[in-house]
Amino acid sequence: MLEDLETCSECGAAIEPFPEDGFTRYARLVAAYLDHFAEDHPDHDLLDAPEAHL
């Protein structure tokens, strides 16, 4: 599952997890993935219902 979030499915950009902050690597990677979509793909369906995609 982590490998699926390390690369953007839309543009192929590499996604790095946010820096250590007490959360798991997976949680930091999910946050970075959603942040990437919000910035680079603001009209993507993922942002309407992220729990359905992740």
Side-chain angles (χ1 to χ4, degrees):
M1 180 70 164
L2 285 177
E3 295 80 26
D4 295 343
L5 299 177
E6 292 176 336
T7 304
C8 175
S9 59
E10 294 296 306
C11 67
I15 299 174
E16 295 292 324
F18 286 155
E20 287 284 338
D21 60 0
F23 288 96
T24 65
R25 183 178 190 283
Y26 180 74
R28 293 181 287 114
L29 187 56
V30 168
Y33 193 81
L34 291 174
D35 188 60
H36 169 78
F37 270 80
E39 290 180 10
D40 294 351
H41 313 290
D43 297 324
H44 195 279
D45 292 341
L46 173 87
L47 299 173
D48 292 332
E51 65 278 359
H53 293 272
L54 302 173

